Amino acid sequence: MFAGTSTHLPFKLNMSGVIPPIFASSLLLFPATIANWFGTSENFGWLQNVAASLGIGQPVHMILYSALIIFFCFFYTALVFNSRETAENLKKSGAFIPGIRPGQQTAEYIDKVLTRLTVWGALYVAGVCLLPEILISQVRVPFYFGGTSLMIIVVVIMDFMAQLQAHLMSHQYEGLMKKANLRGYGRSGQLR
């Protein structure tokens, strides 16, 4: 509530974006790369087994990949969003959440809500990133995009649509203003 009107806080289901899959894939590719470099010598032959188990489409890779995605969703959200700062900003502006005291209790409530959202968002991101791997490795569907690519494509399309709607609205607004001027309203807002 703010100044007698009700509004909302802009929480998203996926506040971390595409950062968690990028970090997770980077961390999984690093040991596989090291294993491929040093796995050819006699003393490090076991590294070839590690590299094979960490290959894309392998069960160990999928489990580690989804676990790292979920971890980085929580980690990145904790870095980007500060519930205490948000609670203090609400308190300073005179806004409050109905039924929750301003200050520390508001921060705890926001943190609880954000944690619940992040659980579902992390599962969503892990599912979107694992689905193409499952389709490629298990079902043998020739799918050429990874989960991160799909997320980037969707975000770019959504941003394009939002910009297009804003552009169309600005042109409709100008058209309405011109029509208003044609009907006898001058720029000063007085009737002629």
Side-chain angles (χ1 to χ4, degrees):
M1 297 286 292
F2 178 71
T5 61
S6 181
T7 185
H8 68 281
L9 289 173
F11 292 153
K12 291 192 272 183
L13 187 63
N14 178 17
M15 291 189 77
S16 55
V18 295
I19 300 297
I22 292 171
F23 283 178
S25 63
S26 298
L27 281 180
L28 279 178
L29 285 176
F30 182 70
T33 304
I34 296 298
N36 283 331
W37 282 346
F38 295 113
T40 56
S41 69
E42 293 177 16
N43 296 334
F44 297 107
W46 57 274
L47 284 175
Q48 285 297 330
N49 295 334
V50 171
S53 66
L54 290 177
I56 294 176
Q58 299 300 316
V60 174
H61 176 267
M62 289 187 193
I63 291 169
L64 286 175
Y65 189 47
S66 61
L68 285 172
I69 287 173
I70 291 169
F71 169 75
F72 282 120
C73 279
F74 279 96
F75 182 73
Y76 192 75
T77 300
L79 284 177
V80 171
F81 188 81
N82 187 351
S83 60
R84 289 182 189 160
E85 182 180 326
T86 303
E88 286 301 316
N89 288 340
L90 287 173
K91 187 177 178 180
K92 287 178 186 175
S93 66
F96 64 93
I97 298 173
I100 309 293
R101 288 185 180 204
Q104 182 63 29
Q105 287 184 356
T106 300
E108 291 171 0
Y109 179 77
I110 290 172
D111 195 37
K112 185 172 73 170
V113 169
L114 193 60
T115 301
R116 290 178 182 173
L117 277 174
T118 305
V119 166
W120 292 108
L123 292 174
Y124 153 73
V125 172
V128 167
C129 291
L130 286 178
L131 185 64
E133 285 190 27
I134 292 170
L135 288 175
I136 292 168
S137 67
Q138 305 299 322
V139 188
R140 306 281 185 230
V141 173
F143 195 75
Y144 300 108
F145 288 112
T148 308
S149 301
L150 288 175
M151 290 177 64
I152 290 171
I153 290 169
V154 169
V155 167
V156 167
I157 290 172
M158 288 174 59
D159 185 46
F160 174 75
M161 293 301 292
Q163 288 182 5
L164 183 65
Q165 286 177 348
H167 182 72
L168 289 174
M169 287 301 289
S170 69
H171 281 291
Q172 286 178 355
Y173 182 74
E174 289 174 5
L176 289 174
M177 292 304 290
K178 287 179 184 176
K179 286 181 184 177
N181 285 338
L182 291 176
R183 292 188 178 154
Y185 292 101
R187 291 188 181 209
S188 63
Q190 298 174 353
L191 287 174
R192 290 185 192 180

